[in-house]
Each structure stands twice: as C-alpha cells, then as structure tokens.
Amino acid sequence: MSRSRPPTTLILDNYDSYTRNCLKLFEALSSLEPEQGSAGDVKGKRRMWDHEGWQDRVVVMNVDAISWERFVAEVLPFVDCIILGPGPGSPHKTSDFNWPTRLIQEYGGVVPIFGLCLGHQGIASAFGASVVRAPSPRHGQITRIRHDGNPLFEGIPGVFDAVQFNSLVVSPNGFPDDLEAIGWAENEGQETIMALRHRSRPLWGTQFHPESISSTYGATILSNFLSFASDHISTSPRRRDVSLPLPPSVLALTTSYKRGLPNLISDVPLPYPIPGEVFEGLVKGSSSLGEIWLDSARPAAAPQYSHFIAPSCTWSYSLVSNTMTTRQHSKPASTSTIHSPNTFFTTLGNAQDALKRLTQVIDSSLASVPIGFIGYIGYEMKQVSLPHCLPKESHEGNDSEFAFASQVLTYEHETRAWRATCLVRTEVRDSEAEALELRTASRFGVDESEAKAWLSRVTAFITSQKATTSTSPRVEKLGVMTPDLTQPEYVDAIERARSLIADGDSYELCLTTTFRSTISPALAADPYPLYLALRASNPAPYSAYFHLPQSDISILSSSPERFMQINRERFAEMKPIKGTVRRSDDPVEDERRRVELEKDVKERAENLMIVDLCRNDLLGFCEVETVEVPKLMVVESYQTVHQLVTSVVGQLTPMVNPFEAVSRAFPPGSMTGAPKLRSVKLLEELEGHRPRGVYSGVFGFVAVDGTTDFSVVIRTLVIKGQDLSLGAGGAITYLSEAEKEWEEVLVKKEAVLGRL
C-alpha cells in the first residue's frame, strides 16, 4: 500500500505543559496499520504515512514567539495545517487567547486547523459559542468518550477512553449553527461536548487530550485530521507540495530540538570500613571550602554508590545581582557579572563541554563517578529557565551553588568495594584548557604528584581500618518548627487554588509551605551529627550532605525523588512522584494503604498530569522517537511512606549538553503543577510571594563525562546561619479536600522530623 508524506504542520503552544507530546503522535503515525475488513482484506480508508523526514515538516512554536504580522508573512505561507494546542485560561480572555482567534476567523477557511482543549474552545468561541464552567472539572482523569461516527474518529470504537485536563467546556446552549458537535462525555449526569467540527470549513476540535500517555487512539485521530488536511490542500487555492520541508527560518522558532586534561582512573579494591568512618577520617574538615557526601542511605535503591568529596573550588550565583562568586583554597573570593546572553547555566555548561573535550577516560568500563560539578539549583532560578517568569521581590542569599570535585572516593554498596578517582592535569598545557580556567577563574584537576599522594593516603587509611558497628548518632533535640502558612492559611490557599482550577487557570497547583526554626551555633557550624540522625531515621535513595561553610549553606537531604538522570549514552530519565501515604506497622493495614494508593483516582490523576508534563519537557531536548514511559504509576515503598512513581525516558539530541537539559526542564513539574508557567505565577500569589529557596529546586551533579543525576529537593533540611528550614506541600486539584491535603503536608514533615 502506497504511503503519503504528512502535511507540513505548525503546532501552536499556548504555554501549556503538554503541547510537545503531540510530537509523539506524529512519531507513532508510521506504526498505524491499515484497517482490515471482515475477511482480512485492506479496507483502504486509512491513509498510510511515509515517516521519513517528518521532523523537518513539523514545528512547535510558542504562540507569542513572533508578531501576528510576521506570522502571516514568514510562517503561514509554509505550513499546510495547524494544531492549536491546549493551555490555561479561557478563549474569552484576550490575555489567554489572542491572535489565534484572528487566525481562526481570517484563515480558518483555507488552512485546516485542529484545536486541542483551549484550541477546541477557541474554535467554538470564534463562531459565537460560549465557554462555561464544566459541571465538574476534570484534570488527569480518564473519561469515556462517545462519538457519532464522524470521519475524525474513523477506525475508532464508538466509545473509547481519553484523558481530560479542563475546567471549562463549550456550552450546548446557543451552540452556533456553523458548528456541529461530534463527540460527548457524561459529567455529573450532564452531557458535555467533547469534539466538534465546522460544517463548511476545515476546522475540528477535541476537548480531551489525544496526546496524553493514557489516552487511546490519539495517533489515529491525528492521522484522520492529517488526511482531511491533505485532501483539502489538493483542492485548495493555496495548493502546495506537501513534501517540502519547512525552511530553516521557521524551524528556528521551534521549542523542541532538531537535531588535554586526561582523566586518570585508578581502581582500588579495598576492605570495607563503614562509609561514615571513611568520610570522617578522610574528607570531613580536610578542605576549608567544605565537604560533600552523595549518599545512598537506602542501598537497595538507586543510586547504588556513595561518593565523598572535598571541593577544590566553588561557585555561588545570585539572581539579584546576576553575579557569580568563585572560591578556591588559600585565595580571596572573586566576583564577576554574567553578561547576556550567557546565564549561570550556560557558564557551567560551557565549562563542562570544554572539560569533556579535554578529558580522556582511562577505563570507560568502570561506572562513572561525579568528577565534575556538584550542587543545587534553587527554585527561584525559574526566572532564568522559564520564559516570562517575573522575578520575585529582592531576596537575600544565593540562588545556586556548585562545587567542583577533582578527587572522588566512591563506595559501592553491593560489593562493598572502594574506588578512588582523580582528574589529573597533564604537564603539557592546552590553550583551550588555559582559556577555560581563565574564563571561570578556577583551577580544574590536580597535578599527578598530588593525585599519587592522595591515593596513597586513601589506601593507607582504608586498609588500616576495620569494619565496625555503627552507633546511633547523638544530636541536640530540634526546637518546634513553625510554618510560614498556618493550617487555616494553608486551607484557605487550597480553596483559592481550587477556585483558580475551576476557572480554567490551571490543571494542578503544587502548593507548599516552609517550616522554620533556629539551631545552636555549634550545630550550625557542624551539622554533620544532624545529618547522621536524619540518615538513620529516614534513609532514602537521594540522601546527601552538602556543607559549604564559606557560602553559609548546608543541605541535609533525604529525598526519594529523582529529577533527572543522564547516562553516558545521553539517555535521560525523569522519575516524578505524586501520591504519598504514611506506612503502618501493621502488615495488613500497610498493604491495605499501599493498594488504596495504587487505585486512588485523585492520586493517579495528579501523577498523570505530571507524567504528561515530563514527556513534554523531555520533548524539548530529546529525540522524539526515544521519549517513552517504561513505568507508569507504580507504588514504591520507603521506610516511612508509600509513594506513586512513574519513569519517563528520552535521549538527548546532539546539540544539548546536560546543564541545558536540566535548565530546560526546570523547575521540576512535580513542584509546580501544570501548565508549568501559569501555575508558577499563580503559586507566587498563593504562597504570599515568599521565596522557596533551595526547597523545590534540584540537587545533584553533572560529571565531566556528561553523566548527570539530580534529585528534587524535598524531605530536606536546609541550614543558613542558625536558621533551619524544611519545605513541604502537595499537589492541589479540583478534587482535593483541604484537611486531607494539610494532613499530607504533616506526613511529609514528620517523615523527616519524626525521630529528630
């Protein structure tokens, strides 16, 4: 059966957090099979698509990337059809749906348009329909869709499952004669319009999201629309060759990506004293810059290594001043301004790129270690990573800090073996290496003599130790921690959030508060005993101790949630957690709670919204065909809680380095809600314009070889001076019950503080 090239398609993104997931539907077109008749013969109604080169004929563009005049002159002539993507808000508000209305009215007769959610509502409102509140908002919920056999649903059963993310619907009252409803769903006993078409123009729309991971027949619906578009083009006055790729000027507007210093690695198999003894004997106090323990306090979970680091230099970044302060041993700190178009992300990313080019890995068969950049990116760095994210009022302190590891001591939990790794400077200096160190005011790596001396000290210390039994750490009792938002204030914020969701301004809002207290000067100067107590009481895959005294910051993490991991083959994994319940000491009750969480409609809806958001984020810098969901909503059990977890993966495109990948997905969707940009703005108001700081950001490393692992900063104690803080929160949907949400906040708080 012959195949057709898909028509050139523009996908307009209304700053929704799901729009790029449409690319997965295009990628799936080639796997659609011809329709079969009752005797197995090919019926021939479904068009088969030639998949080759499709990414040169599909572009995702932000709706305000260019002016209306430029769009008409420079983009519209090159596209065959348009997908109006979903988004927050209402088509009746020009701030939410501006020139797309003009596009529908002026070009909807000649350019085929397919509207999704807000785009669907926009088509309806452009012809006089009213968009009103749904009987009940549906966000992340799977709905049974019924259709009337319209060709948009060719090859699809009369009733099928699809996911909704909407608070508003097109009203059937006063429905324009120009339009025809072709799909419906029941909502609180009322029939709501789920799909429509224009009777004479090439316009279609669906209220549901065919691009969602849990929707069925999404690729078939897209295929049917593209068939309509191809047929229309063949008879249209603006007929053009659909095989032509988009010109570079249009592809450049896309929001998705198209496509020395040798490293001496010495493997040191040694006996195994407990990790804490080695950290205390070899790392703690050895550097005036501080100490780092990237821990896996729960050995059965990833990561399976613990890493010990004494930093060789650090970088602190302030948003308010847009400056980076560099600190090295025995040298005064130096501060420099980062000039546009550079950012803190690109500064470190360019340094990592250069180091990778200049570095030779002696034995690539060994697992990668974090020789490279280790630190946190605070939540307020959203001002850098998100377009149109307005800055907060001025706040004190740094917004991101990274340390450089030239030497790493690694403990492998499974084998109980130790490895020592160095980044060694060669005697022959490369001009690029010299330029890099001048540009960053930093010295990377150690001389060979330093490396040998360090390896000797490490070997001597570990071989002289004997395995001992760890004792319970003693630490001063923490004082009462007071939340920024009290229970009544938090409950009120939840109800305001539910109202915003009902108005269609968001699908889900991750509301948070921060609990605060003060600690003694002694504990502030050395919070290590507190970390040991936290490590013993709440072990987690992303436990970490990050103490930089010159920067006046300590992070004590017991985070269970991965933000992003990137391996040597440049495959990225995001692992969002949404859905938490406290564990029980009674095995029967504990299992009941686990099963209840696994089946909970609200929790699954929350998780699904973030899963589709993560898919959309990865499609901003990964090859489309590699973005998959290998694990969807699986319960993982930790020492104190059960949690609902999903895994989303994709492979970075060649043009993207790890720091850029992290920045393009930042902040974590599990800490914002969806759509991300609108939700972040709404949360500013709901949380009283208080900076979240380190909490809700990410913590981890980017190694010189590009391997990357960041956790989401949750279940984490942060110390600045004598101030101790712990953030906690939860995802708010229209189905949320305020008192239960507050209880979930307390569960998360007690998971960290319960035994401290």
Side-chain angles (χ1 to χ4, degrees):
M1 186 175 183
S2 62
R3 292 178 176 265
S4 306
R5 286 181 178 267
T8 303
T9 306
L10 169 68
I11 305 174
L12 277 177
D13 189 349
N14 289 291
Y15 288 103
D16 190 77
S17 292
Y18 302 144
T19 306
R20 283 192 293 263
N21 293 335
C22 292
L23 297 174
K24 289 300 294 182
L25 299 185
F26 277 91
E27 194 259 332
L29 290 177
S30 63
S31 63
L32 292 177
E33 297 294 332
E35 287 185 85
Q36 303 293 317
S38 57
D41 57 310
V42 177
K43 294 169 67 175
K45 292 184 179 180
R46 178 180 296 156
R47 191 174 306 219
M48 304 305 294
W49 301 105
D50 180 357
H51 198 246
E52 184 178 356
W54 70 269
Q55 292 190 59
D56 293 327
R57 296 192 298 280
V58 180
V59 64
V60 183
M61 186 184 89
N62 285 333
V63 71
D64 61 354
I66 57 177
S67 67
W68 167 256
E69 291 73 21
R70 279 192 62 199
F71 172 77
V72 172
E74 301 175 18
V75 177
L76 198 57
F78 299 101
V79 300
D80 300 317
C81 60
I82 295 172
I83 295 176
L84 279 181
S90 165
H92 294 317
K93 298 178 182 178
T94 55
S95 59
D96 297 333
F97 203 75
N98 192 354
W99 59 254
T101 299
R102 190 172 177 181
L103 171 67
I104 295 166
Q105 292 174 335
E106 296 185 17
Y107 291 93
V110 293
V111 180
I113 298 175
F114 184 25
L116 305 180
C117 198
L118 180 65
H120 155 92
Q121 297 167 3
I123 291 173
S125 65
F127 293 94
S130 297
V131 176
V132 298
R133 279 194 177 189
S136 177
R138 298 285 173 88
H139 296 106
Q141 292 166 268
I142 298 174
T143 300
R144 299 290 283 167
I145 307 294
R146 175 176 57 85
H147 65 82
D148 64 356
N150 184 273
L152 183 66
F153 300 108
E154 181 72 38
I156 298 173
V159 179
F160 64 98
D161 290 341
V163 174
Q164 288 184 246
F165 296 106
N166 63 284
S167 298
L168 309 179
V169 292
V170 176
S171 174
N173 299 322
F175 194 68
D177 292 337
D178 290 337
L179 303 179
E180 177 187 7
I182 58 175
W184 303 265
E186 186 177 289
N187 185 325
E188 300 294 334
Q190 300 181 42
E191 192 169 73
T192 54
I193 297 173
M194 287 290 108
L196 57 78
R197 75 173 187 96
H198 194 282
R199 295 183 185 275
S200 60
R201 297 185 178 189
L203 304 173
W204 294 264
T206 62
Q207 181 62 73
F208 58 88
H209 284 241
E211 80 285 2
S212 171
I213 187 66
S214 291
S215 287
T216 58
Y217 299 101
T220 301
I221 292 172
L222 174 63
S223 176
N224 292 336
F225 166 70
L226 296 178
S227 291
F228 301 154
S230 295
D231 292 342
H232 179 83
I233 293 164
S234 66
T235 59
S236 170
R238 65 188 299 270
R239 181 175 180 176
R240 45 178 261 113
D241 185 351
V242 297
S243 67
L244 291 176
L246 287 162
S249 60
V250 177
L251 288 173
L253 298 171
T254 185
T255 67
S256 64
Y257 265 87
K258 300 293 183 188
R259 316 177 359 128
L261 285 166
N263 185 1
L264 173 64
I265 293 184
S266 299
D267 190 19
V268 186
L270 300 168
Y272 56 92
I274 62 173
E277 290 179 345
V278 176
F279 179 76
E280 293 161 21
L282 283 174
V283 177
K284 188 174 184 295
S286 66
S287 168
S288 61
L289 295 175
E291 57 254 1
I292 303 168
W293 181 353
L294 300 182
D295 195 5
S296 181
R298 185 172 181 264
Q304 296 175 344
Y305 301 90
S306 291
H307 306 286
F308 306 91
I309 299 104
S312 57
C313 60
T314 65
W315 302 274
S316 304
Y317 175 72
S318 167
L319 271 169
V320 173
S321 61
N322 192 31
T323 57
M324 182 176 74
T325 299
T326 304
R327 296 180 177 88
Q328 299 183 79
H329 293 296
S330 305
K331 290 186 178 181
S334 62
T335 300
S336 58
T337 300
I338 297 180
H339 298 286
S340 181
N342 291 321
T343 68
F344 187 60
F345 292 120
T346 62
T347 300
L348 295 188
N350 291 339
Q352 185 271 327
D353 270 344
L355 283 170
K356 184 175 182 179
R357 288 193 299 272
L358 294 163
T359 299
Q360 176 188 354
V361 178
I362 302 302
D363 187 351
S364 59
S365 67
L366 296 173
S368 179
V369 297
I371 289 284
F373 306 83
I374 305 168
Y376 75 89
I377 301 168
Y379 180 75
E380 273 59 55
M381 289 293 285
K382 66 185 186 300
Q383 296 174 32
V384 179
S385 62
L386 281 182
H388 311 301
C389 188
L390 298 176
K392 281 181 178 285
E393 298 174 4
S394 179
H395 59 278
E396 296 182 359
N398 295 314
D399 298 282
S400 184
E401 314 230 15
F402 276 83
F404 192 81
S406 295
Q407 300 162 316
V408 176
L409 185 57
T410 299
Y411 176 72
E412 185 176 352
H413 286 277
E414 290 182 350
T415 64
R416 299 182 178 181
W418 291 88
R419 275 175 55 203
T421 309
C422 300
L423 180 69
V424 180
R425 301 163 62 89
T426 57
E427 293 182 3
V428 179
R429 303 297 294 140
D430 185 282
S431 60
E432 184 179 5
E434 293 178 349
L436 169 65
E437 296 188 334
L438 181 65
R439 190 166 62 249
T440 58
S442 307
R443 185 178 189 272
F444 299 100
V446 295
D447 294 332
E448 189 168 354
S449 60
E450 294 177 82
K452 290 180 178 179
W454 179 72
L455 290 171
S456 296
R457 287 197 305 273
V458 167
T459 303
F461 181 88
I462 294 182
T463 54
S464 68
Q465 300 297 304
K466 295 182 179 180
T468 61
T469 302
S470 60
T471 58
S472 299
R474 299 183 64 182
V475 63
E476 67 183 55
K477 188 174 179 62
L478 300 180
V480 175
M481 299 195 76
T482 305
D484 288 343
L485 294 177
T486 63
Q487 180 177 358
E489 291 170 333
Y490 196 84
V491 167
D492 177 68
I494 290 171
E495 294 305 330
R496 286 189 286 140
R498 291 182 68 246
S499 179
L500 290 166
I501 291 168
D503 288 338
D505 289 315
S506 181
Y507 313 142
E508 176 182 51
L509 291 162
C510 186
L511 185 67
T512 73
T513 188
T514 298
F515 295 81
R516 302 183 190 275
S517 183
T518 57
I519 56 177
S520 69
L523 188 58
D526 183 14
Y528 180 65
L530 181 57
Y531 174 67
L532 291 181
L534 176 64
R535 183 178 190 266
S537 66
N538 191 42
Y542 285 96
S543 295
Y545 178 66
F546 184 76
H547 178 52
L548 301 185
Q550 293 190 27
S551 300
D552 196 23
I553 181 74
S554 296
I555 298 172
L556 287 60
S557 171
S558 60
S559 174
E561 181 174 355
R562 170 175 293 161
F563 171 60
M564 185 185 297
Q565 183 183 65
I566 304 172
N567 63 19
R568 281 176 175 163
E569 289 69 44
R570 296 172 56 81
F571 273 94
E573 180 191 41
M574 301 182 77
K575 198 174 179 183
I577 291 175
K578 271 288 168 259
T580 303
V581 64
R582 196 195 310 264
R583 297 200 66 174
S584 171
D585 293 332
D586 177 14
V588 175
E589 171 62 16
D590 191 58
E591 176 63 12
R592 186 196 68 77
R593 293 182 184 184
R594 188 195 69 79
V595 172
E596 186 178 72
L597 174 63
E598 190 172 41
K599 296 180 178 179
D600 189 286
V601 173
K602 171 189 169 293
E603 303 290 3
R604 293 183 71 84
E606 289 181 13
N607 197 286
L608 177 57
M609 280 187 266
I610 303 305
V611 171
D612 278 336
L613 186 152
C614 289
R615 293 172 67 225
N616 180 77
D617 282 346
L618 287 179
L619 286 162
F621 52 85
C622 289
E623 303 285 1
V624 174
E625 64 274 12
T626 67
V627 177
E628 304 290 348
V629 182
K631 185 169 71 174
L632 181 63
M633 289 183 269
V634 175
V635 174
E636 290 187 358
S637 299
Y638 297 89
Q639 186 146 323
T640 57
V641 294
H642 297 297
Q643 299 197 298
L644 202 59
V645 181
T646 292
S647 172
V648 189
V649 300
Q651 187 175 31
L652 273 61
T653 61
M655 298 295 291
V656 178
N657 70 44
F659 272 107
E660 183 176 4
V662 169
S663 70
R664 288 179 67 85
F666 187 85
S670 61
M671 302 308 298
T672 63
K676 188 183 287 188
L677 178 61
R678 178 67 66 92
S679 295
V680 161
K681 292 180 177 179
L682 296 175
L683 288 166
E684 297 276 2
E685 298 288 338
L686 292 170
E687 296 179 3
H689 297 278
R690 297 179 180 88
R692 292 186 182 180
V694 180
Y695 171 62
S696 295
V698 299
F699 174 83
F701 68 85
V702 177
V704 167
D705 66 2
T707 55
T708 300
D709 206 356
F710 280 91
S711 64
V712 178
V713 180
I714 56 176
R715 320 285 201 277
T716 296
L717 296 172
V718 178
I719 299 172
K720 291 189 175 182
Q722 290 180 244
D723 296 327
L724 174 70
S725 64
L726 169 66
I732 308 303
T733 70
Y734 186 75
L735 297 176
S736 294
E737 298 177 36
E739 294 300 331
K740 288 185 178 180
E741 294 295 340
W742 178 251
E743 172 62 23
E744 182 175 326
V745 169
L746 297 182
V747 167
K748 293 172 179 176
K749 168 179 169 280
E750 291 306 311
V752 178
L753 295 177
R755 302 178 188 178
L756 300 182

